Amino acid sequence: MSDLDRCGEWLSGKGPESDIVISTRIRLARNIEDQPFLSKSSPEQRSAIERNLALAIQRRFPDSLEYQNLCQLSPVDRLCMVEKHLISKDHANSDGDRGVAFDERGRVSILVNEEDHLRIQVIRSGFSFDESWQEIDRIDDELEQDIGFAFSQEFGYLTACPSNVGTGVRVSVMLHLPGLAMTKQIEKVFVSMQRTQHAVRGLYGEGTHPLGDFYQISNQVTLGRSEPQILKIVRDLVSQVIGYERDVRKNLIKEKPMTLADRVWRALGILKAARVIDSEETMDLLSAVRLGIHTGLLPDIDTALVNELFVLIQPGHLQKLEGRKLDTPERDIVRANLIRERLASVV
Amino acid sequence: MSDLDRCGEWLSGKGPESDIVISTRIRLARNIEDQPFLSKSSPEQRSAIERNLALAIQRRFPDSLEYQNLCQLSPVDRLCMVEKHLISKDHANSDGDRGVAFDERGRVSILVNEEDHLRIQVIRSGFSFDESWQEIDRIDDELEQDIGFAFSQEFGYLTACPSNVGTGVRVSVMLHLPGLAMTKQIEKVFVSMQRTQHAVRGLYGEGTHPLGDFYQISNQVTLGRSEPQILKIVRDLVSQVIGYERDVRKNLIKEKPMTLADRVWRALGILKAARVIDSEETMDLLSAVRLGIHTGLLPDIDTALVNELFVLIQPGHLQKLEGRKLDTPERDIVRANLIRERLASVV
């Protein structure tokens, strides 16, 4: 698991609109034809599906992807993969044979036996719809040469949950919206997403309180529209939100420069000073630092450093770093030490 | 007013027990015999009293004390004198001829026409009862050679307010009690002070919420006890409180080193980073830094630097520094700038 220690390329802070867009992620849900969905399969059937899919993936992508059966990993290693967005929390915590194939840059992951037999995921830094789509489309085509996917002429791709039937595509864009959050205008985003049947979530999973001002916008509808249509709608919505956030930031710089500067510098000051810090406070402070970078207040700090800290300060990564299980108070100390170390050279 | 820009020696952080005791202050209330108390005197009588006392003081202490009629000072200059503890708020804000004589080290001040005709005050750094008493006793004796003080064989010195009759002495010890405050044991101090008829106040005046964890303990009773008796009682009481605070600090270092370190380092981090800060937050943070110095966490910071900041960040001093009237939001910015500048070389 050499690659587990590395952060995904999606945290590099590069790519279009990367002052606001952290990452663009597309995933496709696929199932093998003539095989029961996982909810209806026996442990033996499940294991057989896992073995066959692992082999097919390794055959198709022998050099670019590494395959890992999740049962062979420790809970902490699985948690780290969740924190890196390589696998889902459900995938990490469920039972039975299941696995993931991923590339060393953390851009591609193929989940075997999550909710569906296959979940193909591509994640890239910034607002990168075209590149992400081209890559996932290519992987999907390659796999389809070896694997017959469950498909209906009427509905499209068949999936374990009806909400994914059709294209099986979900596009998720992770946005950093500290300006809208700070000026209490984020509600607008929620309303417009609900109206257009799109979901808004936090950085990790389905929680309601979005830590670090990260908001993930994704389509809910997968049926009745083509992939390009779905992509276009999400892209247009996100473009609007980017526009809002950019306006708010410009306005903050112009109208409340001291409030903004105070918030940004205090955040950096606390991160560099704290000896004990929980993840919620850390993410709020990192969010302010990230805003500082992209409003020109902290030009010397690398976005990648801050983006990576959002992942490295999570419980799995901290325990991996220390090489042992840590309770919450211990994590708060290890987290503070890690942050101070990483920021030591900064400003 | 050359000396207005200088901080008093009582902020030097020197003297006995200066990790906990900021300063020891003694004041004597005196009135001229055969003259009405100020509350009963006409403006003309008041002016005559001021002129006579000013002359008497200047005659007695031509080299060591500078005399200033307060009417000739701007409100900001008077406010600065209040913040330096040279005069009281009431003295600064009242009307009519009144003044103050003070030495360049800010250790002695003689208030003319405050509540009484004369209030003689000596203030020293640390727990300095003997030196303070010797000095004020000497000044009192010197003045008494020129001025006949109102005195009754039955009651002692007569004063405008009955609460000062007798010795006219008030001893006030300013304590920094962040440990007792942090561990919520400060209530004990209040109870024992009330039981023994002593007052506890904050750093500035009579307010109830003691900013910066500064508590001023002073005697209430001035009648029926000799000066040495009054001094001894206050000294013993304060010694007890010093013992409590020292125990709490030792315990914090031993039992909660991370909590303590986190508090201290965050405070310093915020002070060095903030661009906007009000005086209440500043004093709380400076209090934590001061605790850090005296628990060995911040050995490189000079106590005097921190003590002086408690005074320099007050509204009068900030306006004096900028040379103009500042509203509250402006002060919060000037304060933050001043603090960053002063702490720039630190750690």
Side-chain angles (χ1 to χ4, degrees):
Chain A
M1 291 307 303
S2 57
D3 291 327
L4 249 187
D5 298 328
R6 193 178 307 179
C7 280
E9 197 189 42
W10 61 276
L11 291 163
S12 69
K14 299 202 164 55
E17 321 288 0
S18 58
D19 55 333
I20 293 172
V21 182
I22 304 289
S23 65
T24 304
R25 173 159 58 157
I26 304 180
R27 73 115 172 91
L28 299 174
R30 299 289 184 258
N31 288 275
I32 309 172
E33 62 183 351
D34 305 326
Q35 289 285 339
F37 286 136
L38 291 168
S39 56
K40 290 175 183 167
S41 61
S42 67
E44 292 71 28
Q45 285 175 314
R46 199 183 163 90
S47 295
I49 290 167
E50 192 264 339
R51 273 195 307 277
N52 288 335
L53 286 176
L55 284 173
I57 293 167
Q58 287 170 306
R59 210 158 42 226
R60 272 287 151 192
F61 307 100
D63 300 320
S64 57
L65 300 187
E66 175 179 351
Y67 184 81
Q68 177 66 51
N69 183 310
L70 292 186
C71 300
Q72 292 161 9
L73 287 185
S74 69
V76 165
D77 280 337
R78 292 201 297 265
L79 182 55
C80 284
M81 295 185 107
V82 174
E83 290 168 358
K84 283 188 190 352
H85 291 191
L86 286 176
I87 63 175
S88 67
K89 211 167 193 170
D90 286 343
H91 201 38
N93 298 335
S94 69
D95 291 316
D97 275 320
R98 65 206 190 281
V100 60
F102 56 95
D103 74 325
E104 63 170 4
R105 292 189 293 179
R107 278 167 31 163
V108 174
S109 63
I110 304 175
L111 284 61
V112 173
N113 286 1
E114 201 243 22
E115 187 178 278
D116 295 293
H117 297 152
L118 275 177
R119 290 252 169 128
I120 310 165
Q121 172 183 284
V122 165
I123 182 167
R124 288 204 177 224
S125 184
F127 200 31
S128 310
F129 270 69
D130 295 335
E131 298 81 345
S132 302
W133 176 250
Q134 283 157 18
E135 183 153 15
I136 204 163
D137 197 33
R138 181 182 63 77
I139 295 168
D140 187 39
D141 287 348
E142 287 248 10
L143 287 173
E144 206 157 12
Q145 298 193 17
D146 277 357
I147 308 162
F149 289 145
F151 187 84
S152 136
Q153 286 302 331
E154 187 180 355
F155 297 116
Y157 290 102
L158 301 177
T159 54
C161 175
S163 71
N164 292 315
V165 166
T167 56
V169 72
R170 175 149 297 153
V171 191
S172 303
V173 183
M174 182 70 71
L175 298 160
H176 186 226
L177 305 175
L180 288 166
M182 198 172 157
T183 56
K184 322 264 180 222
Q185 294 181 69
I186 198 74
E187 205 51 37
K188 282 186 193 168
V189 175
F190 279 91
V191 170
S192 85
M193 293 308 120
Q194 278 171 341
R195 211 173 39 219
T196 56
Q197 289 185 289
H198 286 73
V200 185
R201 297 192 187 81
L203 178 54
Y204 290 103
E206 319 269 333
T208 50
H209 176 55
L211 295 179
D213 303 319
F214 287 109
Y215 296 81
Q216 180 176 279
I217 292 176
S218 54
N219 64 303
Q220 302 273 52
V221 176
T222 57
L223 183 69
R225 287 175 186 152
S226 69
E227 289 92 340
Q229 283 173 326
I230 292 170
L231 262 64
K232 185 180 182 318
I233 293 169
V234 176
R235 194 203 302 242
D236 290 348
L237 268 175
V238 169
S239 295
Q240 265 184 26
V241 178
I242 293 173
Y244 295 151
E245 172 68 19
R246 205 156 272 155
D247 287 347
V248 168
R249 291 187 187 183
K250 270 188 203 144
N251 204 50
L252 277 173
I253 294 170
K254 200 177 154 201
E255 305 293 336
K256 298 188 174 181
M258 289 313 294
T259 308
L260 179 66
D262 188 55
R263 182 145 177 155
V264 167
W265 283 102
R266 276 175 184 248
L268 184 61
I270 295 170
L271 288 168
K272 289 179 71 176
R275 262 55 182 174
V276 182
I277 194 163
D278 66 24
S279 67
E280 185 165 338
E281 184 186 6
T282 302
M283 291 176 76
D284 281 346
L285 296 175
L286 285 174
S287 172
V289 170
R290 204 176 181 285
L291 178 63
I293 296 172
H294 294 294
T295 48
L297 287 167
L298 302 174
D300 297 333
I301 303 184
D302 184 11
T303 307
L305 172 72
V306 176
N307 284 358
E308 287 183 13
L309 272 176
F310 279 105
V311 174
L312 297 175
I313 57 102
Q314 300 299 327
H317 279 77
L318 292 179
Q319 295 181 81
K320 184 83 184 162
L321 178 72
E322 288 291 289
R324 66 189 178 90
K325 205 165 156 49
L326 302 169
D327 59 21
T328 304
E330 289 174 323
R331 287 206 297 269
D332 290 350
I333 294 171
V334 171
R335 182 179 295 113
N337 292 342
L338 171 74
I339 294 167
R340 285 205 318 286
E341 206 177 276
R342 293 263 164 163
L343 292 178
S345 60
V346 165
V347 190
Chain B
M1 292 307 302
S2 57
D3 291 328
L4 248 186
D5 298 330
R6 194 178 305 178
C7 280
E9 197 189 43
W10 61 276
L11 290 162
S12 68
K14 299 205 162 54
E17 322 286 1
S18 59
D19 55 332
I20 293 172
V21 181
I22 304 291
S23 64
T24 304
R25 176 160 55 157
I26 305 182
R27 73 115 170 92
L28 299 173
R30 299 288 183 259
N31 289 274
I32 309 173
E33 60 184 350
D34 305 325
Q35 290 285 339
F37 287 137
L38 291 167
S39 56
K40 291 176 183 168
S41 62
S42 68
E44 292 71 29
Q45 285 175 313
R46 197 184 164 91
S47 295
I49 290 167
E50 192 263 339
R51 273 194 308 278
N52 288 334
L53 286 176
L55 285 173
I57 293 168
Q58 286 169 306
R59 214 162 34 229
R60 274 285 153 194
F61 307 101
D63 300 321
S64 57
L65 299 185
E66 177 179 351
Y67 184 81
Q68 177 65 52
N69 182 309
L70 291 186
C71 300
Q72 292 162 9
L73 287 185
S74 70
V76 163
D77 281 337
R78 291 202 296 265
L79 183 54
C80 284
M81 293 185 108
V82 174
E83 291 168 358
K84 283 189 191 349
H85 291 190
L86 286 177
I87 62 175
S88 68
K89 212 169 194 170
D90 285 343
H91 201 39
N93 298 335
S94 69
D95 292 316
D97 274 320
R98 64 203 191 283
V100 61
F102 56 96
D103 73 326
E104 64 171 6
R105 293 189 292 180
R107 279 170 26 164
V108 174
S109 63
I110 304 176
L111 284 60
V112 173
N113 287 357
E114 202 242 22
E115 189 178 276
D116 295 294
H117 297 151
L118 276 178
R119 290 251 168 129
I120 310 165
Q121 172 183 286
V122 165
I123 182 166
R124 288 203 178 224
S125 185
F127 199 31
S128 309
F129 270 68
D130 295 335
E131 298 83 345
S132 301
W133 176 250
Q134 283 157 18
E135 185 153 15
I136 204 162
D137 197 32
R138 183 183 62 79
I139 296 168
D140 188 38
D141 287 349
E142 288 247 11
L143 288 172
E144 206 157 13
Q145 300 195 13
D146 278 357
I147 308 163
F149 289 146
F151 188 83
S152 136
Q153 286 302 332
E154 187 181 355
F155 297 117
Y157 290 102
L158 300 176
T159 53
C161 176
S163 69
N164 293 316
V165 166
T167 57
V169 70
R170 174 148 298 151
V171 191
S172 303
V173 183
M174 182 70 71
L175 297 160
H176 186 225
L177 305 175
L180 288 166
M182 199 172 157
T183 56
K184 321 264 182 224
Q185 295 181 67
I186 199 76
E187 204 53 38
K188 282 185 194 169
V189 176
F190 279 93
V191 170
S192 83
M193 294 308 119
Q194 279 172 339
R195 210 172 39 217
T196 56
Q197 289 184 288
H198 285 75
V200 185
R201 297 193 185 82
L203 178 53
Y204 290 103
E206 320 269 332
T208 50
H209 175 55
L211 295 178
D213 303 319
F214 287 109
Y215 296 82
Q216 179 177 281
I217 292 177
S218 53
N219 64 304
Q220 302 272 53
V221 176
T222 57
L223 183 68
R225 286 176 186 152
S226 69
E227 289 91 342
Q229 282 173 327
I230 291 170
L231 261 65
K232 185 180 182 319
I233 292 170
V234 176
R235 194 203 301 243
D236 290 348
L237 267 174
V238 169
S239 295
Q240 266 184 27
V241 177
I242 293 172
Y244 295 152
E245 172 69 18
R246 205 156 272 152
D247 286 348
V248 168
R249 290 187 187 180
K250 269 188 206 142
N251 204 49
L252 277 172
I253 293 169
K254 200 177 154 201
E255 304 292 336
K256 297 188 174 179
M258 290 311 295
T259 307
L260 178 66
D262 187 55
R263 182 137 175 164
V264 167
W265 283 102
R266 276 175 184 248
L268 182 62
I270 294 170
L271 288 168
K272 289 179 71 174
R275 262 57 182 173
V276 183
I277 194 162
D278 65 25
S279 66
E280 185 167 337
E281 184 186 5
T282 303
M283 292 177 75
D284 281 347
L285 297 175
L286 285 174
S287 172
V289 170
R290 204 177 180 285
L291 178 63
I293 296 172
H294 294 295
T295 48
L297 287 166
L298 302 174
D300 298 332
I301 303 184
D302 184 10
T303 306
L305 172 72
V306 177
N307 283 359
E308 287 183 12
L309 273 175
F310 279 105
V311 174
L312 297 175
I313 56 105
Q314 301 299 326
H317 278 77
L318 293 178
Q319 295 180 82
K320 183 86 182 158
L321 178 73
E322 288 292 289
R324 66 187 178 91
K325 205 166 155 48
L326 302 170
D327 60 20
T328 303
E330 288 174 324
R331 287 206 298 268
D332 290 350
I333 294 171
V334 172
R335 182 179 294 112
N337 292 343
L338 170 74
I339 294 167
R340 285 207 314 287
E341 207 176 276
R342 293 261 165 164
L343 292 179
S345 60
V346 166
V347 191

